[in-house]
Structures are given as structure tokens and as C-alpha cells.
Amino acid sequence: MKYVSTRGQAPELTFEQAMLTGLARDGGLYVPETFPTLSTDQIASFAGKPYEDVAFEVMKPFVGDTFTDTEFKEIIKRAYAGFSHAAKCPVVQLSENHFLLELFHGPTLAFKDVAMQLIGQMFEVALKRRGDRVTIVGATSGDTGSAAMEAFKGLDAVDLFIMYPHGRVSEVQRRQMTTPTESNVHALAVDGDFDTCQALLKDMFNDFDFRDEVKLAGVNSINWARVLAQVVYYFTSAVSIGAPARTVSFTVPTGNFGDIFAGYVAKRMGLPIDRLIIATNQNDILHRTMESGDHTKTGVTPSVSPSMDIQVSSNFERLVFDLYDQEGAAVAQLFDALKEDGTFTLSQGAIGKLRDEFDSGRCSEDETSATIKKYVETTHEVLCPHSAVGVKVADENIKDAPMITLATAHPAKFPAAVKDACGVHPDLPAHMADLFERDERVTRVAGDLAAVEAVIRKGIK
Ligand SMILES: *Cc1c(COP(=O)(O)O)cnc(C)c1O
């Protein structure tokens, strides 16, 4: 399997190279040249299989010969050993035709663990084999950072630096990033919002001298391996409620478009998905794009679902690449315009294709709280604010096909918002009960490329 850049100018890479690189040198994102398909029989055979076995079958065609089968099975086993639920990603029923896919049973209580635990193990095996060492820099709106720290802390071949927007993550999220004691992981509190952090990361990747000097690698959702790991639970959840004999729909609380793009990949691979529904909070650039084709950045307004407070939705570029028939030059033109002018407009053809696959909805702050309250009262399910955004939009979009909404985080990551909404204080699980007593270690840094690069140079062992 070859990987190509969405902007058409960077060299083709293998899975291993794409995974270790992150962003392509032409500013694009790596995507597989083609999507392998699974037969209906193979999908049907997933019923009742352990999560790890399905993960192996779904991901194997993309990974090629980067790992032997035995190596890859061991990687998957180690990745999910720390999950606290036997199903890893269990499905619960909310109402007759509405199901919740709980993605928060990993070590840091958000769906980011599903991919990050896996790529931590994949990086380690690949780097050890190469005798290499890399510097991973990540930008986070809250959950990616802690998931990365948990996955990479203590590894020999990696230094990890996580930039988060100072003052804009929940206290639990911040403490999960500032309390690990391993010396190879570093939290950087950046002055700015998430988009500032993400722009700094992109600029760092485009500073080729720095990139080569520190052997920069990325694990943000722009890393193809992250998206790939998330494809798996679309299969396990759909099969658990009757696919492939039944067609299902999914609603996904969306920020950077990584999680829902994984659903699109599952569909391209043959999983019978009817609709993919993009759920946004008040930072609704994707919902507006669906309505008018107009992809225009506005300022980010902080919300109770901070992991979705995003206006630059990086993985959307991967979809745009398909909407424009894999023409890198067209994609480059659009995303250059976005960077320069903060806006682009999709062609009529592209809008049509987008609407063929996706629907969208937006959930206000009041609606988020009301949804948390309603579901505690009617089902005893305590939703995190992000999951509530999804559930609300899903309820508005349920048609004939059963709906699966992705529950992206545990409510205990956002205790204040949940308590305000429904009066219930969600407790942290036992392994994190002393989080508020642990010492914090963090470097405050200006939202400026040279300043951040200086901190990273100094922090590398
Ligand atoms: C990251 C995150 C999202 C958004 O996922 P994307 O892949 O960026 O669209 C939603 N909810 C939670 C809790 C998250 O951590």
C-alpha cells in the first residue's frame, strides 16, 4: 500500500514512513492511494470476535509489510491491554433505534486513547528496529495531549512535547498532561487558542531545518495511523447491532474531522453505512460548509465541549481530496486560500458529493446541557458534553437505519459542565482518584514559532 499527499507534490511513502512523518513536505496530509475493500462475508465473520482480532483484519491491508503478522498482533494486544472494558469499545442502547458507542474506556478516558495507545506501540517497534530516535510534537485541544503522554511516557526512542492552549482546557485535562513524571514528556502551555497551537505545529513541520535537526514526528490526527486505528470501531459497533445484514448510520461529535473521516474510510471499505452525520458545537464551520459550501473561519468561541473548539478542521482536507477526484493541485489551491484569506468555497460538484455522504447539525450550549439532563433522567446514561452534542444531533437525524452515536469522552473529564447540567458529579475512576494531589510540571510559552522551537531544543535529552 502506497501513501500519497493530498497536495500531490510530496513523495509517495510506505505505511511506516507515513506514520513516522506525520505531515507531508508539501503541506498536505498522507492518504492511502486506494481503499481496500472487505467482502460481506468477512465483515459478517467479525460478529462475536474479540476487538483485537477485528482490529488486525481491518488494519492489516493498510499496514502492508511494515510489521509481520505476529508483530502486529502483539502490538494490538499491548495497545488495548490497558482498557478497562472487555469489549474495549462497547455499545449501549439509548432507545429503540439509537445506540451509543462508548469510546472512553482507555487510560485517559477519551477516544483518543484508541489510536494513541496503538501508535505508541507501533512507533516503539519501528524505531527500535531502525535504531532511531524522534521528537514528537503535538497540539491538543485537551484530549490528544494526555492520550499521547500516556502512550509515549517512558519510551526510550521518543521525546514528546505537547502544546495546549493556556487556560482553555478543563482542569482534569490539564492535570493529565502536567502530572506525568517521566522525563521524556513535556507539557507546553501556549498563549493562544487551539488553532494557534495547530498552526505552530504546521509551521514547525514546514521549517525543514528544525524538522531535520530534531527529527520531528507528529501524532496529531493528521497522522494517518491515528485515523486508521479509529476505522476499527465502526466495524465492531456496526456488526454488534446487525451489520452487514443491516445498514447503520453514525453521528460523530466533530472537531478536527479525524474521527468521522475514519467512518468514511469504513464505508469506502464496504461497511454498509447509510449516513455519516457531523455534529458540531457553536464552532460550526463544518455545519456551515455543509449548508452553503462556504468554508470560512470565524473566531473560536470557547464552549463546554472544548475538544471541539476548532475552526481549522485539518482532516477535512482528506475528504476534500476525494471530493476533487484526488487532484492535489486543486486541494493545494483551496487550502492555500484558507491560510491566506481564511476562506474557500467548494465547487458545486464537490458540495454535491459531500452531501451524498454526510449530513450535519449544530448544538448550542443550552442544548448541550439540556441533552445531558434529559438523558440522565430518562436513561441514567451520564453523557460528557461532546457526546451530548452528538446525541442531540443524532436524535434530529434518525430515520430508518439504526443510529450509533460516538461517545467520545468520559463525563468525569468535564465534571463542572456535567454537574451544572444535571446535578450529578461524575467521579474519576480509581486509577486517577489522586489526580488533584499530584505535582504539576509545565512550561508557559508565547504563541510564537521561535519561542516554541527554543523550548523544544532545550528539552531534548
Ligand atoms: C478530539 C475530540 C473530539 C473531536 O474529534 P475529531 O477527530 O477532532 O473530530 C470530540 N470529542 C472529544 C471528547 C475529543 O477529545
Side-chain angles (χ1 to χ4, degrees):
M1 173 78 63
K2 284 274 170 219
Y3 289 83
V4 297
S5 165
T6 50
R7 304 208 184 162
Q9 296 295 315
E12 290 184 357
L13 299 183
T14 64
F15 176 80
E16 177 169 335
Q17 291 167 327
M19 171 182 86
L20 293 174
T21 303
L23 198 69
R25 281 189 180 247
D26 60 3
L29 279 66
Y30 276 104
V31 286
E33 202 172 23
T34 55
F35 290 102
T37 52
L38 304 184
S39 70
T40 306
D41 285 350
Q42 189 179 4
I43 296 171
S45 79
F46 293 162
K49 278 193 183 159
Y51 187 87
E52 289 87 340
D53 292 6
V54 179
F56 176 80
E57 287 192 50
V58 170
M59 293 190 286
K60 176 69 195 165
F62 292 96
V63 172
D65 54 12
T66 293
F67 305 109
T68 66
D69 284 2
T70 316
E71 243 174 2
F72 194 36
K73 282 180 183 163
E74 286 295 316
I75 285 171
I76 293 171
K77 199 169 137 197
R78 283 197 298 276
Y80 299 116
F83 278 57
S84 63
H85 195 290
K88 313 305 174 198
C89 304
V91 174
V92 301
Q93 189 160 13
L94 290 178
S95 62
E96 192 186 334
N97 228 8
H98 193 178
F99 299 82
L100 196 68
L101 170 55
E102 293 185 348
L103 298 173
F104 50 71
H105 296 280
T108 70
L109 311 181
F111 84 89
K112 305 293 198 297
D113 287 324
V114 177
M116 209 60 89
Q117 286 292 319
L118 185 83
I119 70 170
Q121 298 299 328
M122 293 201 295
F123 264 69
E124 188 176 49
V125 172
L127 289 171
K128 272 200 177 145
R129 188 169 55 209
R130 294 168 160 236
D132 220 348
R133 177 177 187 82
V134 296
T135 302
I136 295 177
V137 182
T140 185
S141 57
D143 296 322
T144 296
S146 54
M149 289 215 164
E150 198 61 39
F152 288 92
K153 68 184 189 188
L155 296 189
D156 293 332
V158 173
D159 282 301
L160 176 72
F161 296 83
I162 294 296
M163 300 183 277
Y164 69 84
H166 177 71
R168 296 199 187 214
V169 297
S170 83
E171 189 168 2
V172 173
Q173 288 177 317
R174 188 191 76 231
R175 285 179 170 275
Q176 284 181 323
M177 292 187 277
T178 58
T179 58
T181 53
E182 289 78 359
S183 63
N184 71 320
V185 295
H186 311 264
L188 310 183
V190 174
D191 291 320
D193 57 24
F194 171 67
D195 288 336
T196 310
C197 297
Q198 193 164 237
L200 283 166
L201 185 66
K202 280 204 166 173
D203 291 345
M204 211 177 290
F205 269 97
N206 287 323
D207 177 351
F208 293 144
D209 289 339
F210 182 78
R211 183 171 177 167
D212 294 337
E213 174 194 335
V214 303
K215 295 198 180 156
L216 192 62
V219 294
N220 267 80
S221 63
I222 51 178
N223 190 309
W224 169 255
R226 289 264 314 268
V227 175
L228 176 59
Q230 292 164 194
V231 176
V232 175
Y233 48 67
Y234 284 88
F235 280 92
T236 56
S237 61
V239 168
S240 81
I241 65 160
R246 241 172 149 194
T247 298
V248 304
S249 292
F250 285 92
T251 301
V252 187
T254 298
N256 223 344
F257 209 78
D259 212 4
I260 194 162
F261 187 77
Y264 170 79
V265 174
K267 186 170 182 181
R268 294 284 306 267
M269 291 177 73
L271 186 66
I273 295 176
D274 181 23
R275 309 298 299 166
L276 286 162
I277 295 151
I278 302 163
T280 75
N281 66 21
Q282 59 195 0
N283 298 295
D284 61 351
I285 183 167
L286 291 168
H287 179 53
R288 288 185 279 113
T289 304
M290 285 288 296
E291 288 191 322
S292 65
D294 185 0
H295 193 74
T296 301
K297 281 194 278 184
T298 55
V300 171
T301 314
S303 79
V304 291
S305 43
S307 307
M308 291 154 59
D309 290 346
I310 291 176
Q311 288 289 288
V312 180
S313 192
S314 297
N315 279 290
F316 190 57
E317 179 166 341
R318 289 194 156 108
L319 183 69
V320 170
F321 184 62
D322 269 12
L323 301 178
Y324 281 81
D325 301 320
Q326 279 110 30
E327 270 187 46
V331 177
Q333 213 174 23
L334 291 175
F335 284 88
D336 285 346
L338 186 67
K339 187 162 185 190
E340 303 274 291
D341 315 325
T343 180
F344 66 69
T345 305
L346 292 173
S347 69
Q348 282 307 313
I351 297 171
K353 284 195 210 168
L354 177 65
R355 290 188 186 143
D356 283 346
E357 307 283 348
F358 295 89
D359 291 306
S360 69
R362 171 190 195 276
C363 182
S364 71
E365 295 290 275
D366 287 348
E367 289 166 335
T368 306
S369 301
T371 304
I372 294 173
K373 185 167 192 289
K374 175 180 155 193
Y375 274 84
V376 166
E377 285 167 0
T378 56
T379 68
H380 302 296
E381 183 77 30
V382 183
L383 298 168
C384 94
H386 310 78
S387 310
V389 166
V391 165
K392 160 78 169 47
V393 171
D395 276 334
E396 292 165 351
N397 282 278
I398 296 180
K399 303 206 172 75
D400 295 336
M403 178 68 76
I404 299 175
T405 299
L406 275 54
T408 48
H410 192 290
K413 282 197 109 160
F414 308 95
V418 173
K419 177 101 199 279
D420 282 352
C422 69
V424 177
H425 179 89
D427 288 330
L428 284 167
H431 76 272
M432 257 184 237
D434 67 341
L435 187 65
F436 283 74
E437 278 99 65
R438 296 179 199 164
D439 288 337
E440 293 191 73
R441 179 171 58 97
V442 57
T443 307
R444 177 97 178 257
V445 55
D448 168 78
L449 185 63
V452 176
E453 289 182 347
V455 170
I456 291 172
R457 275 201 192 91
K458 210 170 137 220
I460 295 174
K461 283 195 278 190

